[in-house]
mmCIF file of all heavy atoms in Angstrom:
data_model
loop_
_atom_site.group_PDB
_atom_site.id
_atom_site.type_symbol
_atom_site.label_atom_id
_atom_site.label_comp_id
_atom_site.label_asym_id
_atom_site.label_seq_id
_atom_site.Cartn_x
_atom_site.Cartn_y
_atom_site.Cartn_z
ATOM 1 N N MET A 270 0.853 -1.257 0.000
ATOM 2 C CA MET A 270 0.027 -0.016 -0.028
ATOM 3 C C MET A 270 0.898 1.258 -0.005
ATOM 4 O O MET A 270 1.937 1.282 0.651
ATOM 5 C CB MET A 270 -0.897 0.009 1.274
ATOM 6 C CG MET A 270 -1.934 1.099 1.229
ATOM 7 S SD MET A 270 -2.744 1.245 2.792
ATOM 8 C CE MET A 270 -3.600 -0.271 2.980
ATOM 9 N N ILE A 271 0.422 2.223 -0.712
ATOM 10 C CA ILE A 271 1.194 3.520 -0.786
ATOM 11 C C ILE A 271 0.389 4.571 -0.122
ATOM 12 O O ILE A 271 -0.759 4.829 -0.398
ATOM 13 C CB ILE A 271 1.442 3.828 -2.299
ATOM 14 C CG1 ILE A 271 2.304 2.806 -2.942
ATOM 15 C CG2 ILE A 271 2.131 5.205 -2.342
ATOM 16 C CD1 ILE A 271 2.404 2.892 -4.383
ATOM 17 N N ALA A 272 1.038 5.173 0.860
ATOM 18 C CA ALA A 272 0.396 6.240 1.589
ATOM 19 C C ALA A 272 0.598 7.569 0.994
ATOM 20 O O ALA A 272 1.661 7.897 0.414
ATOM 21 C CB ALA A 272 0.963 6.285 3.031
ATOM 22 N N CYS A 273 -0.383 8.404 1.042
ATOM 23 C CA CYS A 273 -0.359 9.761 0.462
ATOM 24 C C CYS A 273 0.671 10.554 1.271
ATOM 25 O O CYS A 273 0.684 10.555 2.533
ATOM 26 C CB CYS A 273 -1.726 10.407 0.659
ATOM 27 S SG CYS A 273 -1.691 12.199 0.348
ATOM 28 N N PRO A 274 1.663 11.226 0.605
ATOM 29 C CA PRO A 274 2.670 11.996 1.268
ATOM 30 C C PRO A 274 2.086 13.170 2.132
ATOM 31 O O PRO A 274 2.674 13.647 3.041
ATOM 32 C CB PRO A 274 3.530 12.545 0.249
ATOM 33 C CG PRO A 274 3.233 11.762 -1.001
ATOM 34 C CD PRO A 274 1.800 11.294 -0.869
ATOM 35 N N LYS A 275 0.926 13.642 1.801
ATOM 36 C CA LYS A 275 0.301 14.721 2.412
ATOM 37 C C LYS A 275 -0.529 14.360 3.653
ATOM 38 O O LYS A 275 -0.302 14.882 4.714
ATOM 39 C CB LYS A 275 -0.548 15.499 1.441
ATOM 40 C CG LYS A 275 -1.014 16.889 1.989
ATOM 41 C CD LYS A 275 -1.674 17.636 0.886
ATOM 42 C CE LYS A 275 -2.064 19.052 1.388
ATOM 43 N NZ LYS A 275 -2.818 19.814 0.354
ATOM 44 N N CYS A 276 -1.466 13.423 3.458
ATOM 45 C CA CYS A 276 -2.403 13.132 4.537
ATOM 46 C C CYS A 276 -2.243 11.748 5.104
ATOM 47 O O CYS A 276 -2.785 11.395 6.100
ATOM 48 C CB CYS A 276 -3.853 13.347 4.069
ATOM 49 S SG CYS A 276 -4.443 12.082 2.952
ATOM 50 N N GLY A 277 -1.408 10.901 4.414
ATOM 51 C CA GLY A 277 -1.113 9.605 4.931
ATOM 52 C C GLY A 277 -2.178 8.566 4.601
ATOM 53 O O GLY A 277 -2.081 7.379 4.992
ATOM 54 N N SER A 278 -3.159 8.928 3.836
ATOM 55 C CA SER A 278 -4.172 7.975 3.451
ATOM 56 C C SER A 278 -3.654 6.903 2.585
ATOM 57 O O SER A 278 -2.783 7.170 1.672
ATOM 58 C CB SER A 278 -5.351 8.697 2.740
ATOM 59 O OG SER A 278 -6.229 7.785 2.130
ATOM 60 N N GLY A 279 -4.095 5.689 2.692
ATOM 61 C CA GLY A 279 -3.689 4.634 1.855
ATOM 62 C C GLY A 279 -4.517 4.493 0.628
ATOM 63 O O GLY A 279 -4.250 3.656 -0.205
ATOM 64 N N LYS A 280 -5.498 5.326 0.467
ATOM 65 C CA LYS A 280 -6.406 5.266 -0.638
ATOM 66 C C LYS A 280 -5.939 6.186 -1.754
ATOM 67 O O LYS A 280 -5.965 7.376 -1.594
ATOM 68 C CB LYS A 280 -7.815 5.619 -0.252
ATOM 69 C CG LYS A 280 -8.532 4.472 0.559
ATOM 70 C CD LYS A 280 -9.935 4.843 0.898
ATOM 71 C CE LYS A 280 -9.972 5.671 2.202
ATOM 72 N NZ LYS A 280 -11.335 6.011 2.609
ATOM 73 N N SER A 281 -5.482 5.616 -2.821
ATOM 74 C CA SER A 281 -5.070 6.436 -3.972
ATOM 75 C C SER A 281 -5.425 5.714 -5.265
ATOM 76 O O SER A 281 -5.545 4.476 -5.238
ATOM 77 C CB SER A 281 -3.594 6.729 -3.923
ATOM 78 O OG SER A 281 -2.802 5.556 -4.000
ATOM 79 N N SER A 282 -5.603 6.418 -6.298
ATOM 80 C CA SER A 282 -5.823 5.780 -7.609
ATOM 81 C C SER A 282 -4.755 6.203 -8.612
ATOM 82 O O SER A 282 -4.284 7.342 -8.569
ATOM 83 C CB SER A 282 -7.263 6.146 -8.090
ATOM 84 O OG SER A 282 -7.493 7.508 -7.982
ATOM 85 N N VAL A 283 -4.442 5.265 -9.459
ATOM 86 C CA VAL A 283 -3.377 5.551 -10.442
ATOM 87 C C VAL A 283 -4.088 6.195 -11.680
ATOM 88 O O VAL A 283 -5.048 5.704 -12.166
ATOM 89 C CB VAL A 283 -2.751 4.231 -10.907
ATOM 90 C CG1 VAL A 283 -1.782 4.441 -12.036
ATOM 91 C CG2 VAL A 283 -2.079 3.533 -9.673
ATOM 92 N N ILE A 284 -3.566 7.364 -12.041
ATOM 93 C CA ILE A 284 -4.163 8.082 -13.181
ATOM 94 C C ILE A 284 -3.334 7.938 -14.410
ATOM 95 O O ILE A 284 -3.812 8.128 -15.524
ATOM 96 C CB ILE A 284 -4.430 9.550 -12.910
ATOM 97 C CG1 ILE A 284 -3.197 10.226 -12.318
ATOM 98 C CG2 ILE A 284 -5.619 9.672 -11.899
ATOM 99 C CD1 ILE A 284 -3.463 11.693 -11.973
ATOM 100 N N SER A 285 -2.038 7.630 -14.334
ATOM 101 C CA SER A 285 -1.295 7.273 -15.506
ATOM 102 C C SER A 285 -0.051 6.432 -15.081
ATOM 103 O O SER A 285 0.484 6.546 -13.992
ATOM 104 C CB SER A 285 -0.914 8.505 -16.272
ATOM 105 O OG SER A 285 0.083 9.290 -15.571
ATOM 106 N N THR A 286 0.386 5.667 -16.036
ATOM 107 C CA THR A 286 1.586 4.772 -15.788
ATOM 108 C C THR A 286 2.490 4.874 -17.027
ATOM 109 O O THR A 286 2.005 4.931 -18.104
ATOM 110 C CB THR A 286 1.154 3.370 -15.588
ATOM 111 O OG1 THR A 286 0.172 3.278 -14.575
ATOM 112 C CG2 THR A 286 2.325 2.478 -15.142
ATOM 113 N N LYS A 287 3.790 4.925 -16.787
ATOM 114 C CA LYS A 287 4.658 4.855 -17.916
ATOM 115 C C LYS A 287 5.936 4.101 -17.492
ATOM 116 O O LYS A 287 6.315 4.182 -16.312
ATOM 117 C CB LYS A 287 4.963 6.217 -18.522
ATOM 118 C CG LYS A 287 5.836 7.098 -17.665
ATOM 119 C CD LYS A 287 6.069 8.376 -18.374
ATOM 120 C CE LYS A 287 6.928 9.335 -17.464
ATOM 121 N NZ LYS A 287 7.178 10.637 -18.108
ATOM 122 N N PRO A 288 6.593 3.393 -18.436
ATOM 123 C CA PRO A 288 7.802 2.730 -18.097
ATOM 124 C C PRO A 288 8.838 3.704 -17.742
ATOM 125 O O PRO A 288 9.048 4.738 -18.358
ATOM 126 C CB PRO A 288 8.140 1.956 -19.342
ATOM 127 C CG PRO A 288 6.969 2.033 -20.219
ATOM 128 C CD PRO A 288 6.177 3.245 -19.845
ATOM 129 N N ASP A 289 9.565 3.379 -16.658
ATOM 130 C CA ASP A 289 10.777 4.130 -16.312
ATOM 131 C C ASP A 289 11.956 3.279 -16.706
ATOM 132 O O ASP A 289 11.778 2.075 -16.847
ATOM 133 C CB ASP A 289 10.705 4.450 -14.789
ATOM 134 C CG ASP A 289 11.847 5.348 -14.329
ATOM 135 O OD1 ASP A 289 12.977 4.881 -14.153
ATOM 136 O OD2 ASP A 289 11.595 6.525 -14.166
ATOM 137 N N GLY A 290 13.113 3.792 -16.794
ATOM 138 C CA GLY A 290 14.248 3.019 -17.202
ATOM 139 C C GLY A 290 14.457 1.740 -16.413
ATOM 140 O O GLY A 290 14.724 0.686 -16.926
ATOM 141 N N LYS A 291 14.253 1.851 -15.094
ATOM 142 C CA LYS A 291 14.508 0.658 -14.210
ATOM 143 C C LYS A 291 13.271 0.146 -13.533
ATOM 144 O O LYS A 291 13.310 -0.587 -12.607
ATOM 145 C CB LYS A 291 15.591 1.073 -13.187
ATOM 146 C CG LYS A 291 16.871 1.425 -13.762
ATOM 147 C CD LYS A 291 17.721 2.185 -12.767
ATOM 148 C CE LYS A 291 18.927 2.754 -13.378
ATOM 149 N NZ LYS A 291 19.495 3.909 -12.599
ATOM 150 N N GLY A 292 12.116 0.669 -13.933
ATOM 151 C CA GLY A 292 10.903 0.277 -13.220
ATOM 152 C C GLY A 292 9.699 0.892 -13.881
ATOM 153 O O GLY A 292 9.602 1.068 -15.073
ATOM 154 N N LYS A 293 8.732 1.200 -13.037
ATOM 155 C CA LYS A 293 7.567 1.839 -13.515
ATOM 156 C C LYS A 293 7.250 3.121 -12.778
ATOM 157 O O LYS A 293 7.288 3.141 -11.531
ATOM 158 C CB LYS A 293 6.325 0.865 -13.380
ATOM 159 C CG LYS A 293 6.228 -0.046 -14.628
ATOM 160 C CD LYS A 293 4.926 -0.808 -14.583
ATOM 161 C CE LYS A 293 4.896 -1.767 -15.776
ATOM 162 N NZ LYS A 293 3.852 -2.767 -15.654
ATOM 163 N N TRP A 294 6.821 4.086 -13.517
ATOM 164 C CA TRP A 294 6.491 5.373 -12.950
ATOM 165 C C TRP A 294 4.998 5.442 -12.921
ATOM 166 O O TRP A 294 4.282 5.150 -13.940
ATOM 167 C CB TRP A 294 7.084 6.444 -13.825
ATOM 168 C CG TRP A 294 6.835 7.876 -13.421
ATOM 169 C CD1 TRP A 294 7.572 8.629 -12.626
ATOM 170 C CD2 TRP A 294 5.749 8.671 -13.882
ATOM 171 N NE1 TRP A 294 7.021 9.889 -12.541
ATOM 172 C CE2 TRP A 294 5.877 9.934 -13.301
ATOM 173 C CE3 TRP A 294 4.629 8.413 -14.706
ATOM 174 C CZ2 TRP A 294 4.942 10.935 -13.510
ATOM 175 C CZ3 TRP A 294 3.704 9.469 -14.901
ATOM 176 C CH2 TRP A 294 3.849 10.711 -14.307
ATOM 177 N N ARG A 295 4.428 5.777 -11.776
ATOM 178 C CA ARG A 295 2.937 5.865 -11.688
ATOM 179 C C ARG A 295 2.576 7.255 -11.119
ATOM 180 O O ARG A 295 3.078 7.725 -10.155
ATOM 181 C CB ARG A 295 2.418 4.795 -10.766
ATOM 182 C CG ARG A 295 2.450 3.441 -11.401
ATOM 183 C CD ARG A 295 1.515 2.491 -10.643
ATOM 184 N NE ARG A 295 1.415 1.238 -11.369
ATOM 185 C CZ ARG A 295 2.056 0.176 -11.083
ATOM 186 N NH1 ARG A 295 2.940 0.119 -10.087
ATOM 187 N NH2 ARG A 295 1.949 -0.965 -11.793
ATOM 188 N N ARG A 296 1.604 7.835 -11.770
ATOM 189 C CA ARG A 296 0.980 9.011 -11.364
ATOM 190 C C ARG A 296 -0.247 8.706 -10.527
ATOM 191 O O ARG A 296 -1.108 8.020 -11.044
ATOM 192 C CB ARG A 296 0.650 9.904 -12.611
ATOM 193 C CG ARG A 296 0.108 11.294 -12.234
ATOM 194 C CD ARG A 296 1.238 12.201 -11.821
ATOM 195 N NE ARG A 296 0.816 13.572 -11.884
ATOM 196 C CZ ARG A 296 1.414 14.532 -11.248
ATOM 197 N NH1 ARG A 296 2.420 14.320 -10.497
ATOM 198 N NH2 ARG A 296 0.942 15.747 -11.367
ATOM 199 N N ARG A 297 -0.330 9.242 -9.321
ATOM 200 C CA ARG A 297 -1.429 8.841 -8.482
ATOM 201 C C ARG A 297 -2.125 10.091 -7.950
ATOM 202 O O ARG A 297 -1.543 11.120 -7.768
ATOM 203 C CB ARG A 297 -0.957 8.037 -7.269
ATOM 204 C CG ARG A 297 -0.328 6.647 -7.697
ATOM 205 C CD ARG A 297 0.292 6.025 -6.441
ATOM 206 N NE ARG A 297 0.819 4.757 -6.816
ATOM 207 C CZ ARG A 297 0.078 3.614 -6.737
ATOM 208 N NH1 ARG A 297 -1.100 3.636 -6.308
ATOM 209 N NH2 ARG A 297 0.608 2.469 -7.106
ATOM 210 N N THR A 298 -3.338 9.904 -7.576
ATOM 211 C CA THR A 298 -4.060 10.970 -6.877
ATOM 212 C C THR A 298 -4.701 10.348 -5.652
ATOM 213 O O THR A 298 -5.207 9.250 -5.668
ATOM 214 C CB THR A 298 -5.122 11.633 -7.788
ATOM 215 O OG1 THR A 298 -5.730 12.706 -7.094
ATOM 216 C CG2 THR A 298 -6.201 10.695 -8.269
ATOM 217 N N CYS A 299 -4.614 11.129 -4.539
ATOM 218 C CA CYS A 299 -5.176 10.618 -3.280
ATOM 219 C C CYS A 299 -6.710 10.627 -3.269
ATOM 220 O O CYS A 299 -7.278 11.685 -3.709
ATOM 221 C CB CYS A 299 -4.590 11.489 -2.133
ATOM 222 S SG CYS A 299 -5.285 11.111 -0.556
ATOM 223 N N SER A 300 -7.286 9.616 -2.835
ATOM 224 C CA SER A 300 -8.748 9.612 -2.837
ATOM 225 C C SER A 300 -9.374 10.439 -1.763
ATOM 226 O O SER A 300 -10.525 10.817 -1.835
ATOM 227 C CB SER A 300 -9.253 8.125 -2.712
ATOM 228 O OG SER A 300 -8.779 7.305 -3.739
ATOM 229 N N ASP A 301 -8.575 10.710 -0.741
ATOM 230 C CA ASP A 301 -9.110 11.443 0.388
ATOM 231 C C ASP A 301 -8.891 12.973 0.221
ATOM 232 O O ASP A 301 -9.855 13.767 0.438
ATOM 233 C CB ASP A 301 -8.468 10.972 1.691
ATOM 234 C CG ASP A 301 -9.107 9.641 2.147
ATOM 235 O OD1 ASP A 301 -10.123 9.306 1.698
ATOM 236 O OD2 ASP A 301 -8.514 9.000 3.038
ATOM 237 N N CYS A 302 -7.704 13.378 -0.075
ATOM 238 C CA CYS A 302 -7.472 14.871 -0.147
ATOM 239 C C CYS A 302 -7.191 15.341 -1.552
ATOM 240 O O CYS A 302 -7.137 16.530 -1.759
ATOM 241 C CB CYS A 302 -6.248 15.176 0.731
ATOM 242 S SG CYS A 302 -4.652 14.736 0.096
ATOM 243 N N GLY A 303 -7.091 14.465 -2.511
ATOM 244 C CA GLY A 303 -6.899 14.910 -3.888
ATOM 245 C C GLY A 303 -5.468 15.297 -4.278
ATOM 246 O O GLY A 303 -5.203 15.682 -5.356
ATOM 247 N N PHE A 304 -4.536 15.080 -3.270
ATOM 248 C CA PHE A 304 -3.158 15.436 -3.645
ATOM 249 C C PHE A 304 -2.581 14.492 -4.708
ATOM 250 O O PHE A 304 -2.832 13.314 -4.681
ATOM 251 C CB PHE A 304 -2.341 15.246 -2.281
ATOM 252 C CG PHE A 304 -0.936 15.692 -2.434
ATOM 253 C CD1 PHE A 304 -0.582 17.026 -2.558
ATOM 254 C CD2 PHE A 304 0.088 14.734 -2.340
ATOM 255 C CE1 PHE A 304 0.761 17.413 -2.614
ATOM 256 C CE2 PHE A 304 1.441 15.146 -2.413
ATOM 257 C CZ PHE A 304 1.732 16.489 -2.591
ATOM 258 N N LYS A 305 -1.891 15.093 -5.628
ATOM 259 C CA LYS A 305 -1.300 14.326 -6.731
ATOM 260 C C LYS A 305 0.162 14.140 -6.447
ATOM 261 O O LYS A 305 0.896 15.008 -6.126
ATOM 262 C CB LYS A 305 -1.511 15.013 -8.078
ATOM 263 C CG LYS A 305 -2.940 15.074 -8.557
ATOM 264 C CD LYS A 305 -3.003 15.669 -9.935
ATOM 265 C CE LYS A 305 -4.449 15.570 -10.475
ATOM 266 N NZ LYS A 305 -5.359 16.507 -9.706
ATOM 267 N N PHE A 306 0.569 12.880 -6.612
ATOM 268 C CA PHE A 306 1.959 12.527 -6.417
ATOM 269 C C PHE A 306 2.312 11.347 -7.400
ATOM 270 O O PHE A 306 1.457 10.762 -7.933
ATOM 271 C CB PHE A 306 2.269 12.179 -4.982
ATOM 272 C CG PHE A 306 1.459 10.955 -4.406
ATOM 273 C CD1 PHE A 306 2.047 9.787 -4.253
ATOM 274 C CD2 PHE A 306 0.116 11.196 -4.051
ATOM 275 C CE1 PHE A 306 1.311 8.674 -3.778
ATOM 276 C CE2 PHE A 306 -0.630 10.095 -3.554
ATOM 277 C CZ PHE A 306 0.022 8.869 -3.363
ATOM 278 N N SER A 307 3.606 11.128 -7.463
ATOM 279 C CA SER A 307 4.024 10.039 -8.341
ATOM 280 C C SER A 307 4.891 9.073 -7.549
ATOM 281 O O SER A 307 5.538 9.365 -6.590
ATOM 282 C CB SER A 307 4.729 10.553 -9.571
ATOM 283 O OG SER A 307 5.810 11.362 -9.215
ATOM 284 N N THR A 308 4.885 7.834 -8.042
ATOM 285 C CA THR A 308 5.697 6.834 -7.427
ATOM 286 C C THR A 308 6.593 6.164 -8.510
ATOM 287 O O THR A 308 6.152 6.046 -9.681
ATOM 288 C CB THR A 308 4.925 5.723 -6.727
ATOM 289 O OG1 THR A 308 3.986 5.160 -7.631
ATOM 290 C CG2 THR A 308 4.184 6.307 -5.534
ATOM 291 N N VAL A 309 7.762 5.797 -8.186
ATOM 292 C CA VAL A 309 8.621 5.055 -9.064
ATOM 293 C C VAL A 309 8.871 3.700 -8.475
ATOM 294 O O VAL A 309 9.380 3.628 -7.335
ATOM 295 C CB VAL A 309 9.916 5.793 -9.362
ATOM 296 C CG1 VAL A 309 10.847 4.965 -10.253
ATOM 297 C CG2 VAL A 309 9.693 7.130 -9.966
ATOM 298 N N GLU A 310 8.510 2.691 -9.128
ATOM 299 C CA GLU A 310 8.677 1.326 -8.622
ATOM 300 C C GLU A 310 9.849 0.707 -9.302
ATOM 301 O O GLU A 310 9.849 0.468 -10.484
ATOM 302 C CB GLU A 310 7.397 0.522 -8.789
ATOM 303 C CG GLU A 310 6.202 1.154 -8.094
ATOM 304 C CD GLU A 310 4.901 0.390 -8.318
ATOM 305 O OE1 GLU A 310 4.982 -0.763 -8.717
ATOM 306 O OE2 GLU A 310 3.842 0.963 -8.131
ATOM 307 N N ARG A 311 10.890 0.400 -8.556
ATOM 308 C CA ARG A 311 12.084 -0.139 -9.101
ATOM 309 C C ARG A 311 12.007 -1.687 -9.034
ATOM 310 O O ARG A 311 11.804 -2.265 -7.966
ATOM 311 C CB ARG A 311 13.323 0.289 -8.251
ATOM 312 C CG ARG A 311 13.497 1.776 -8.218
ATOM 313 C CD ARG A 311 13.892 2.275 -9.578
ATOM 314 N NE ARG A 311 14.197 3.786 -9.527
ATOM 315 C CZ ARG A 311 14.242 4.521 -10.567
ATOM 316 N NH1 ARG A 311 13.989 4.037 -11.784
ATOM 317 N NH2 ARG A 311 14.503 5.819 -10.472
ATOM 318 N N ILE A 312 12.164 -2.266 -10.171
ATOM 319 C CA ILE A 312 12.074 -3.775 -10.234
ATOM 320 C C ILE A 312 13.213 -4.363 -9.468
ATOM 321 O O ILE A 312 13.057 -5.372 -8.786
ATOM 322 C CB ILE A 312 12.100 -4.189 -11.754
ATOM 323 C CG1 ILE A 312 10.806 -3.771 -12.451
ATOM 324 C CG2 ILE A 312 12.237 -5.728 -11.799
ATOM 325 C CD1 ILE A 312 10.842 -3.894 -13.931
ATOM 326 N N LYS A 313 14.381 -3.808 -9.571
ATOM 327 C CA LYS A 313 15.587 -4.372 -8.965
ATOM 328 C C LYS A 313 15.429 -4.542 -7.464
ATOM 329 O O LYS A 313 15.776 -5.592 -6.920
ATOM 330 C CB LYS A 313 16.756 -3.489 -9.246
ATOM 331 C CG LYS A 313 18.084 -4.182 -9.237
ATOM 332 C CD LYS A 313 19.177 -3.276 -9.757
ATOM 333 C CE LYS A 313 20.522 -3.988 -9.734
ATOM 334 N NZ LYS A 313 21.579 -2.984 -10.190
ATOM 335 N N THR A 314 14.921 -3.538 -6.776
ATOM 336 C CA THR A 314 14.850 -3.609 -5.298
ATOM 337 C C THR A 314 13.433 -3.797 -4.854
ATOM 338 O O THR A 314 13.205 -4.021 -3.671
ATOM 339 C CB THR A 314 15.355 -2.277 -4.751
ATOM 340 O OG1 THR A 314 14.581 -1.202 -5.191
ATOM 341 C CG2 THR A 314 16.790 -2.020 -5.156
ATOM 342 N N SER A 315 12.426 -3.649 -5.728
ATOM 343 C CA SER A 315 11.028 -3.761 -5.365
ATOM 344 C C SER A 315 10.623 -2.691 -4.363
ATOM 345 O O SER A 315 9.627 -2.787 -3.729
ATOM 346 C CB SER A 315 10.688 -5.160 -4.787
ATOM 347 O OG SER A 315 10.919 -6.107 -5.770
ATOM 348 N N ARG A 316 11.457 -1.611 -4.272
ATOM 349 C CA ARG A 316 11.058 -0.555 -3.353
ATOM 350 C C ARG A 316 10.224 0.453 -4.065
ATOM 351 O O ARG A 316 10.401 0.723 -5.285
ATOM 352 C CB ARG A 316 12.341 0.139 -2.843
ATOM 353 C CG ARG A 316 13.002 -0.652 -1.735
ATOM 354 C CD ARG A 316 14.178 0.109 -1.215
ATOM 355 N NE ARG A 316 14.996 -0.764 -0.390
ATOM 356 C CZ ARG A 316 16.203 -0.436 0.079
ATOM 357 N NH1 ARG A 316 16.776 0.712 -0.306
ATOM 358 N NH2 ARG A 316 16.892 -1.271 0.799
ATOM 359 N N ILE A 317 9.321 1.059 -3.353
ATOM 360 C CA ILE A 317 8.456 2.120 -3.923
ATOM 361 C C ILE A 317 8.826 3.440 -3.275
ATOM 362 O O ILE A 317 8.860 3.569 -2.019
ATOM 363 C CB ILE A 317 6.983 1.781 -3.654
ATOM 364 C CG1 ILE A 317 6.691 0.391 -4.418
ATOM 365 C CG2 ILE A 317 6.106 2.869 -4.189
ATOM 366 C CD1 ILE A 317 5.345 -0.145 -4.062
ATOM 367 N N HIS A 318 9.128 4.460 -4.067
ATOM 368 C CA HIS A 318 9.533 5.716 -3.571
ATOM 369 C C HIS A 318 8.448 6.800 -3.864
ATOM 370 O O HIS A 318 8.373 7.207 -5.053
ATOM 371 C CB HIS A 318 10.828 6.146 -4.205
ATOM 372 C CG HIS A 318 11.906 5.212 -3.950
ATOM 373 N ND1 HIS A 318 12.655 5.147 -2.755
ATOM 374 C CD2 HIS A 318 12.454 4.215 -4.752
ATOM 375 C CE1 HIS A 318 13.548 4.163 -2.819
ATOM 376 N NE2 HIS A 318 13.460 3.630 -4.020
ATOM 377 N N PRO A 319 7.703 7.194 -2.946
ATOM 378 C CA PRO A 319 6.724 8.297 -3.276
ATOM 379 C C PRO A 319 7.519 9.601 -3.416
ATOM 380 O O PRO A 319 8.483 9.864 -2.682
ATOM 381 C CB PRO A 319 5.861 8.381 -2.022
ATOM 382 C CG PRO A 319 6.116 7.150 -1.285
ATOM 383 C CD PRO A 319 7.533 6.719 -1.613
ATOM 384 N N THR A 320 7.094 10.400 -4.389
ATOM 385 C CA THR A 320 7.797 11.635 -4.598
ATOM 386 C C THR A 320 6.752 12.767 -4.755
ATOM 387 O O THR A 320 5.601 12.507 -5.057
ATOM 388 C CB THR A 320 8.668 11.631 -5.914
ATOM 389 O OG1 THR A 320 7.823 11.263 -6.961
ATOM 390 C CG2 THR A 320 9.789 10.694 -5.808
ATOM 391 N N GLU A 321 7.124 13.935 -4.425
ATOM 392 C CA GLU A 321 6.293 15.102 -4.597
ATOM 393 C C GLU A 321 5.880 15.274 -6.080
ATOM 394 O O GLU A 321 6.666 15.004 -6.898
ATOM 395 C CB GLU A 321 6.972 16.395 -4.109
ATOM 396 C CG GLU A 321 7.165 16.388 -2.584
ATOM 397 C CD GLU A 321 6.123 17.119 -1.842
ATOM 398 O OE1 GLU A 321 5.491 17.950 -2.470
ATOM 399 O OE2 GLU A 321 5.903 16.840 -0.679
ATOM 400 N N ALA A 322 4.667 15.712 -6.277
ATOM 401 C CA ALA A 322 4.217 15.975 -7.616
ATOM 402 C C ALA A 322 5.076 17.053 -8.262
ATOM 403 O O ALA A 322 5.384 18.079 -7.662
ATOM 404 C CB ALA A 322 2.751 16.358 -7.630
ATOM 405 N N THR A 323 5.400 16.913 -9.551
ATOM 406 C CA THR A 323 6.027 17.969 -10.287
ATOM 407 C C THR A 323 5.041 18.900 -10.868
ATOM 408 O O THR A 323 3.979 18.407 -11.417
ATOM 409 C CB THR A 323 6.974 17.444 -11.335
ATOM 410 O OG1 THR A 323 6.218 16.415 -12.132
ATOM 411 C CG2 THR A 323 8.194 16.755 -10.728
ATOM 412 N N LYS A 324 5.257 20.149 -10.841
ATOM 413 C CA LYS A 324 4.267 21.057 -11.291
ATOM 414 C C LYS A 324 4.319 21.230 -12.831
ATOM 415 O O LYS A 324 5.419 21.243 -13.362
ATOM 416 C CB LYS A 324 4.491 22.416 -10.653
ATOM 417 C CG LYS A 324 4.417 22.325 -9.105
ATOM 418 C CD LYS A 324 3.015 22.650 -8.598
ATOM 419 C CE LYS A 324 2.762 22.010 -7.270
ATOM 420 N NZ LYS A 324 3.586 22.632 -6.192
HETATM 421 ZN ZN1 LIG B 1615 -3.989 12.584 0.824
#
């Protein structure tokens, strides 16, 4: 589960996905507060890094 960086809610929906060099980049929006953020999922480590949304 991925928590919203802003409110910590675990409810988010993926609005777009694209391949990243080493994994997958996902654009998400929080279902509770509407905050948009992206995650990069690295296949190598299976770690998920939430990042702030780029404007
Ligand atoms: Zn939120």
Side-chain angles (χ1 to χ4, degrees):
M270 188 192 296
I271 297 167
C273 170
K275 191 175 183 182
C276 73
S278 169
K280 285 181 273 180
S281 64
S282 48
V283 178
I284 51 178
S285 72
T286 307
K287 68 179 180 182
D289 186 280
K291 297 162 191 159
K293 271 187 182 166
W294 178 93
R295 286 196 172 98
R296 183 77 163 159
R297 295 170 178 273
T298 183
C299 176
S300 300
D301 281 344
C302 74
F304 186 70
K305 290 184 176 68
F306 59 102
S307 56
T308 55
V309 177
E310 301 178 19
R311 301 292 184 196
I312 293 167
K313 205 171 181 182
T314 60
S315 298
R316 282 185 192 167
I317 298 169
H318 303 279
T320 55
E321 292 264 337
T323 50
K324 301 263 157 70

